[in-house]
Amino acid sequence: MSPRWHLLLRQCYRECQMPQLTTTENGVAIQGPTATLIYDDWYPALRTSVLQRGKLATAMLLDIPLVLGRRSDGRVFAMRDSCPHRGIPLSFGWFDGERVTCRYHGWEFEPCSGKCALIPSLSSHDHLDATRIFATAFPCEERDGHAWVYVPSPGSGKNAENSDRRKVPELTKFSGRHRTAFLSADLPCNVDHGIIGLMDPAHGPFVHQAWWWRSRASIREKTKRFEPIPEGFRMSAHAPSGNSAPYKLLGVYGQPVETTIDFVLPNRRTEIICCGDKWFSSLTTVTPVTASTCRIDVVAAWNVFYRVPFLTPIAKFFGAKFVRQDQVTMIQQAQGLRHNPSLMLIDDADKPAKWYFALKQSRLDTTSIGALQKHPMDGPVELHWRS
Ligand code: FES
Ligand SMILES: [Fe+2]
């Protein structure tokens, strides 16, 4: 391979490796203000590809340290990474595919229920029933390569009734034959900044300038129609912006292109693009890792350009560049947020951010699972901005 190709491939590889940054280059933790967290919902904890048989993996979710694994029967589990006996992380222990064993005194736990199965120190003189002891186990389900973990409100008891739980989120797919990709990036800001950054239309021409996407000069006035949906809002089906190159590419099918974008609490943005029987679908989540940091995860599936060779690595390459542009901006923003400045939301470009905060407040004020007591939108509305 010629040195130029080698260099190019090396650069591509580097670009696809998203640095997971919540510290400065000198290793100093970047931490801005905290956000209130939404409990009683599903969040992606990690990619299930890291859950190898007989191995334990760790993740932090809503400030809760988790230990995750996959049982011999294939089922994934998530427990609080803390032994109920003396608090040593269970991830330091052993896992044989059936039980997690604490490395301190050898208590054994069934990991999906958290039930203690054995306390090795008990003698024939003891009357303690080990099976009445539980480590904290969280409902955990695998979808689209994510281990989704249901995080109940603190103190609500470990056994939130099944019927009370929301559905596990899943990426919409319209046909069996499709390709998929996944991207992730740590963001050194709280979940609120991560989410309003995600839905912010005005940063596009400045943050996402690239020859293959759009230029700053392509900024133009736009009108978008929004409508309320349960626990969120929808940018109604519309022809996507003519000033973004990837959308223009879909023109080759000679069919009308239509895109619908939803935001739904606590943290999910879905985008569906349809062009005849061709489609692209993505699910983006901004998940609180701690109260002051978050992570963006994107899973996507598509059947557009199905036969184009190397499309998945090409899509990953450009997708990673796009997310990296947001990440770099938020790392810079985090420097400012450290000083807790007062912030501004303006009309109409920041209207979706205002709806998000109002929806979140309504959710925090609502005790039961179901419809929010108050939706910030009375009905469909048109917003105008330049981007
Ligand atoms: S601390 Fe886990 S068994 Fe004692
Ligand atoms: Fe962005």
Side-chain angles (χ1 to χ4, degrees), residues 83 85-88 102 104-107:
C83 178
H85 185 211
R86 301 279 178 77
I88 193 170
C102 178
Y104 202 170
H105 309 96
W107 291 20

Side-chain angles (χ1 to χ4, degrees), residues 162-192:
N162 260 330
S163 55
D164 276 0
R165 266 184 233 140
R166 291 155 203 279
K167 267 181 59 194
V168 187
E170 188 160 2
L171 178 66
T172 309
K173 295 143 208 127
F174 298 92
S175 56
R177 227 163 75 111
H178 58 258
R179 303 204 186 274
T180 57
F182 159 75
L183 278 173
S184 172
D186 274 346
L187 302 177
C189 57
N190 69 41
V191 67
D192 290 343

Side-chain angles (χ1 to χ4, degrees), residues 56-76:
L56 295 170
T58 58
M60 184 68 85
L61 196 59
L62 284 73
D63 264 326
I64 302 167
L66 296 178
V67 56
L68 297 101
R70 187 189 292 282
R71 289 195 323 197
S72 308
D73 63 2
R75 212 172 138 190
V76 292

